[in-house]
Amino acid sequence: MGKSTVSISHLRSLLVALVLVFEWTTPTLAATIHVPADQPTIQAGINVAVDGDTVLLADGTYTGDGNRDVSFLGKKIVVTSEHGPGFTIIDCEGTPDIPHRAFVAVNGEDTSTVISGIAIIGGEASLFSTIGSRYGGALYVSNAGLKIDNCCIEYCSAEFGGGLGMGPGAIVMVNRSTFRYNTCTSLGGAIACYGYPGGAMLSLIGVVISHCIAGHAAGGLYLESTTFSLDRTVLYANWGVDEAGAGMCFDSKIVINSSTIAHNSGGGTRDAFTFANDTLIISNSLISHHEGDSAIGIAGTKNVVLIECTNIFSTAGFGWPDSLAGYYGTNGNISEDPAFCELNTGNLTVYDNSPCLPGNNQCATLIGALDVGCVSTGIDNDNPALLPERVALLQNYPNPFNPSTTIRFFLSTRSFVIVEIFNVLGQRIANLVSVEFPSGEHDVLWNGQSDAGVASPSGVYLCRLRANGVTLSRKLVLAK
């Protein structure tokens, strides 16, 4: 396949258009309805809400009628939790014979309808589903909009889209959320979007899709007639039984930016990601360690493909497929081992010598979704005289986090170390360590609490390390 003559800057306007469409607009809050204090169930809370209201869920597990198969009734409202998905769970208790999912948006809602800070488990969509038959084990959206923020969707199942199912006219934005261990019997282990004939729109920002399984193809994502944006997102260890472990896209407009797609597997054609008759733009992204013949499969005759500053790597040989080989070596595209810290455990941060880091590649940009997370010294730790004076504060993992995160740092020599946490006002809220450490790599855990044992609210925090006269800092995001 030859290169397109269409410029990257021209088609990148597609990403700008997606950002404008999905720009976050916070509804004007008119009232807060507490569940179960004010209303006994989630649906009861929505029933009395009006546009702009918030339905606020107390900590706990919500089950039974009124807490599943919930309809937004066309209202522009926010359904959220007090303390995040670690404390607020909807257990749909669905089965193939008696299917139940968490939410449906099919009454003309728009993207000011929001669900936030909720975990959804046990959802099921089947032939017996009264709405969106067979699509979306946890959520179904058609001819409507929805925003999903800071949610965790796990152990849900459907024929299409184990976690999220989308039909024609759907507009969905997913932000800072996780899809794990979802399954489907056909297409789209995590998400399936069938936009034909009117089209659909889907945006994923800061999302993790992992360990999802499709009985046929597209372990992560299945998209048809969809305008789709993937930004700062991770697809890891998903499986398509026949093909396309990460995803499969047809007749769609696709923008993949600053994302990591790794360790996905599929039988049959065994592509990590398959595209057919798509407009495809990939930039600053990493596609690596796929288990199969090809990282990307290109089919059809109407593809427009533009790629820059992207690393496609395979342990079995040259990572770039024949259909895209002409892009290798141009526009900053490479095929090098990304040097993951712990691929097998899902820690896809990279060593400090990774070619994906800004200082180590031609584009001077981060390739992939995750920054440095471990250090490769290449030095003799048994001879202190040969050690350079060096201190490194690595990015915490996970980030964003809830309720705790691990902070890693490296010392070239034995040093007295102080690690502190500050809020955005510059106030110190926690002193994690003030002790001497030997040389090497070390871990410190922050449980999200202050020195007084008070849980910190969601927000951005600063981790500051002082050692050997050096002061380093990293931003941490607590997302409840």
Side-chain angles (χ1 to χ4, degrees), residues 257-415:
N257 180 63
S258 298
S259 293
T260 297
I261 302 169
H263 204 38
N264 300 282
S265 61
T269 60
R270 301 181 65 84
D271 298 322
F273 228 130
T274 298
F275 301 93
N277 297 327
D278 295 314
T279 296
L280 173 63
I281 302 172
I282 306 177
S283 61
N284 307 333
S285 292
L286 169 61
I287 304 173
S288 176
H289 288 80
H290 51 274
E291 297 182 8
D293 297 332
S294 177
I296 295 178
I298 301 294
T301 59
K302 300 178 181 179
N303 295 288
V304 178
V305 181
L306 300 169
I307 305 176
E308 64 177 359
C309 300
T310 289
N311 185 8
I312 301 180
F313 175 77
S314 171
T315 55
F318 182 57
W320 290 75
D322 291 343
S323 57
L324 299 177
Y327 291 91
Y328 169 70
T330 65
N331 294 325
N333 295 317
I334 59 176
S335 182
E336 299 183 30
D337 191 333
F340 290 124
C341 290
E342 297 172 359
L343 175 66
N344 290 333
T345 62
N347 180 359
L348 302 184
T349 57
V350 295
Y351 278 92
D352 61 340
N353 59 357
S354 168
C356 297
L357 296 177
N360 301 335
N361 63 67
Q362 175 185 333
C363 295
T365 189
L366 178 64
I367 296 176
L370 302 174
D371 208 334
V372 63
C374 46
V375 173
S376 176
T377 61
I379 54 181
D380 184 359
N381 288 300
D382 294 327
N383 188 347
L386 298 179
L387 293 174
E389 292 296 323
R390 181 179 178 189
V391 179
L393 176 60
L394 309 178
Q395 186 63 57
N396 62 302
Y397 184 84
N399 193 47
F401 69 94
N402 179 39
S404 62
T405 189
T406 298
I407 297 161
R408 295 181 176 180
F409 59 93
F410 171 80
L411 304 171
S412 62
T413 60
R414 178 177 290 275
S415 307

Side-chain angles (χ1 to χ4, degrees), residues 421-429 460-462 464:
I421 305 295
F422 294 82
N423 63 20
V424 292
L425 300 178
Q427 301 166 327
R428 191 183 77 175
I429 62 172
V460 177
Y461 294 85
L462 188 72
R464 188 176 72 181

Side-chain angles (χ1 to χ4, degrees), residues 1-2 4 6 11 14 193 195 200 221-228 244 247-256 271 273-282 296-307 324 327:
M1 173 180 170
S4 168
V6 182
L11 281 183
L14 174 61
C193 180
L221 307 163
Y222 177 79
L223 308 173
E224 190 165 340
S225 300
T226 302
T227 299
F228 174 60
M248 180 178 286
C249 305
F250 292 93
D251 300 315
S252 296
K253 297 179 177 66
I254 313 294
V255 176
I256 299 174
D271 298 322
F273 228 130
T274 298
F275 301 93
N277 297 327
D278 295 314
T279 296
L280 173 63
I281 302 172
I282 306 177
I296 295 178
I298 301 294
T301 59
K302 300 178 181 179
N303 295 288
V304 178
V305 181
L306 300 169
I307 305 176
L324 299 177
Y327 291 91

Side-chain angles (χ1 to χ4, degrees), residues 433-445:
V433 295
S434 295
V435 297
E436 188 174 72
F437 285 87
S439 62
E441 187 173 319
H442 304 280
D443 293 346
V444 175
L445 182 72

Side-chain angles (χ1 to χ4, degrees), residues 118 120 148 150-154 174-182 206-210 212:
I118 299 171
I120 301 172
I148 303 164
N150 188 28
C151 289
C152 183
I153 299 170
E154 297 182 337
V174 187
N175 187 25
R176 301 184 306 150
S177 296
T178 302
F179 292 75
R180 291 184 299 190
Y181 306 111
N182 302 289
V207 173
V208 175
I209 297 175
S210 70
C212 294

